[in-house]
Amino acid sequence: MATYVVTGGAGFIGSNFIFHMRQQHPEDRIICLDSLTYAGNLETLDSVMRDSHFRFVKASITDREAVFRLFDEERPDYVVNFAAESHVDRSIESPGVFLQTNIIGTQTLLDACRHSGVKRFHQVSTDEVYGDLPLDRPDLMFTEETPIHTSSPYSASKAAADLLVQAYHRTFQVPATISRCSNNYGPYHFPEKLIPLMIINALHDKPLPVYGKGENVRDWLYVTDHCRAIDLILQSGRVGEVYNIGGHNEMRNIDIVRLIVKTLGKSEDLITYVTDRKGHDMRYAIDPTKINRELGWSPEVMFADGIQRTIDWYLTHQDWWRNIVNGEYQTYYQQMYGSR
Ligand code: NAD
Ligand code: DAU
């Protein structure tokens, strides 16, 4: 029986990872460490809360005392760090908290791993650390050797965390791995992000705010495929290595929005072009050759199926997102989109 500390498990990908692990490794124990920021939601974890193999601890990864106390109590074998400020637009408005959580929080966890000794520290990073690719060079993709070249305070903070993980591995022999995944979508995605925001606005017949010309390209992966990849890296990945995760599924934002509009039977007149994001990355594209060759990972959910499942989930889980969009989200939306 192994013990896992999963940070950020009340958020989108972390919660899906907890569900994956409970299903695939029911004998293992999972401790979710989450400070429940605006993006964390305990309701998401309802189905595992009373599970004897699960414990929830509310604390920040930047709180040294709380993190060290937890590690002393639980002596985790594995630590998987999902906890982060994750939204690029918010990082443009208020970078400070991104540096605190994403950099100092990661360092605090690394120190706790050194102190307590773990089998593995896994850092959930992002393809955004590689910067972006031009639209007119479809042959180019991010490999693990692509230089770090960040665009936003969010991606800069994630890149800084990656460098710290590599430094702690080299200098202190912390047994660490890093994964860099492309854009995820699926259930429990916070409605500030493109896909859930467009689904929910379309359901309300509200304008669908497409940044710039909508030509930016993202490489979409269904969230459970990401969770399977991290599980594989924990079991069989080589310590000290970086693994890119992505499924060759590049799409333009405008095409995603049109697909959502069509699936929901709404009018394309809802699509509204708004002022572009500052420093907006043009295109992301992951080359997943390494994880495919070394660990045999490839995506299982194709986009046509995944987006249908996602839209169905938002239609059948309206309580989950209505609780969010009726709260402080209104103020956020007004600030972000009011005068765009
Ligand atoms: P999210 O914003 O949905 O969830 C983040 C979670 O972290 C929330 O539960 C929040 O309460 C928690 N958290 C924030 N600050 C914390 C702190 N100081 N201490 C403890 N908990 C804290 O994010 P997500 O989309 O699920 O992303 C999870 C991770 O995956 C992030 O590290 C992100 O950089 C990375 N990532 C995301 C994507 C994507 O498409 N969403 C793709 C690649 C990598
Ligand atoms: O690539 C991985 C990254 O994907 C993760 O590291 C981030 O945590 C995650 O938030 C995501 O970042 P993006 O900036 O790509 O995701 P977002 O959903 O915010 O935006 C996707 C694209 O859609 C992007 O080109 C901006 C555009 N967009 C977004 C919103 C919210 C719009 O056109 N309109 C919008 O209202």
Side-chain angles (χ1 to χ4, degrees):
M1 188 193 93
T3 299
Y4 291 75
V5 165
V6 176
T7 71
F12 167 43
I13 310 175
S15 60
N16 278 283
F17 180 74
I18 289 172
F19 303 146
H20 166 92
M21 294 300 280
R22 290 301 303 127
Q23 204 167 43
Q24 296 302 314
H25 309 279
E27 67 291 353
D28 291 340
R29 183 169 149 73
I30 298 201
I31 295 105
C32 171
L33 172 66
D34 197 300
S35 61
L36 299 180
T37 66
Y38 77 92
N41 188 346
L42 262 193
E43 274 175 46
T44 302
L45 294 173
D46 254 358
S47 63
V48 290
M49 263 333 222
R50 278 167 295 280
D51 187 332
S52 62
H53 288 239
F54 179 79
R55 176 182 172 199
F56 180 81
V57 176
K58 182 177 184 302
S60 170
I61 58 167
T62 59
D63 181 343
R64 274 188 102 72
E65 216 184 293
V67 170
F68 274 65
R69 194 181 327 119
L70 178 67
F71 277 52
D72 282 341
E73 273 168 29
E74 296 285 355
R75 293 275 156 196
D77 302 294
Y78 298 93
V79 176
V80 189
N81 183 26
F82 291 93
E85 287 295 333
S86 69
H87 192 34
V88 173
D89 291 330
R90 289 187 193 250
S91 83
I92 295 165
E93 296 303 312
S94 325
V97 66
F98 283 73
L99 274 54
Q100 278 302 320
T101 296
N102 299 359
I103 306 175
I104 303 301
T106 302
Q107 186 223 349
T108 308
L109 292 171
L110 287 164
D111 281 340
C113 287
R114 275 186 75 196
H115 161 80
S116 113
V118 292
K119 284 198 183 116
R120 184 72 66 80
F121 173 83
H122 183 75
Q123 176 70 0
V124 182
S125 185
T126 168
D127 60 358
E128 295 201 17
V129 301
Y130 298 124
D132 65 351
L133 297 164
L135 288 182
D136 60 358
R137 288 291 308 274
D139 55 311
L140 294 180
M141 286 188 287
F142 298 136
T143 72
E144 289 78 1
E145 274 67 52
T146 301
I148 301 286
H149 185 82
T150 58
S151 311
S152 69
Y154 163 70
S155 55
S157 68
K158 292 294 290 185
D162 284 12
L163 296 177
L164 274 174
V165 173
Q166 288 172 328
Y168 271 62
H169 169 62
R170 169 140 179 183
T171 306
F172 304 119
Q173 290 78 51
V174 171
T177 40
I178 296 174
S179 55
R180 295 182 179 145
C181 190
S182 58
N183 286 62
N184 285 213
Y185 68 104
Y188 302 109
H189 204 177
F190 195 84
E192 66 193 349
K193 307 284 167 56
L194 179 77
I195 290 182
L197 185 143
M198 295 299 167
I199 295 172
I200 290 169
N201 278 19
L203 286 172
H204 288 108
D205 293 307
K206 278 177 64 176
L208 306 177
V210 173
Y211 298 168
K213 295 181 182 157
E215 286 172 348
N216 305 65
V217 168
R218 296 292 182 265
D219 186 357
W220 294 93
L221 185 73
Y222 195 67
V223 62
T224 52
D225 279 325
H226 186 186
C227 296
R228 271 195 314 109
I230 294 173
D231 187 7
L232 264 177
I233 295 169
L234 290 172
Q235 312 310 325
S236 320
R238 285 185 294 136
V239 164
E241 293 291 314
V242 173
Y243 292 92
N244 283 356
I245 308 171
H248 291 298
N249 185 55
E250 291 179 52
M251 292 188 68
R252 296 191 312 165
N253 294 339
I254 186 64
D255 296 327
I256 301 245
V257 177
R258 285 197 180 120
L259 181 62
I260 291 170
V261 166
K262 189 165 171 234
T263 310
L264 290 172
K266 300 290 181 177
S267 161
E268 284 204 5
D269 293 345
L270 291 175
I271 295 174
T272 310
Y273 294 92
V274 301
T275 311
D276 210 350
R277 174 184 278 174
K278 291 185 183 122
H280 198 173
D281 281 339
M282 217 51 225
R283 169 178 167 249
Y284 303 146
I286 281 279
D287 177 352
T289 304
K290 180 174 175 180
I291 191 166
N292 176 265
R293 197 186 50 230
E294 284 190 19
L295 306 181
W297 177 90
S298 57
E300 285 177 352
V301 182
M302 294 301 102
F303 189 77
D305 180 24
I307 193 72
Q308 189 61 58
R309 283 196 217 176
T310 304
I311 293 173
D312 289 346
W313 189 89
Y314 280 88
L315 285 170
T316 53
H317 290 76
Q318 301 209 9
D319 285 352
W320 183 85
W321 57 259
R322 281 189 196 282
N323 284 342
I324 294 168
V325 300
N326 290 336
E328 69 185 41
Y329 180 84
Q330 290 293 335
T331 316
Y332 162 81
Y333 199 90
Q334 194 49 38
Q335 271 167 4
M336 204 58 91
Y337 296 93
S339 57
R340 200 151 186 156

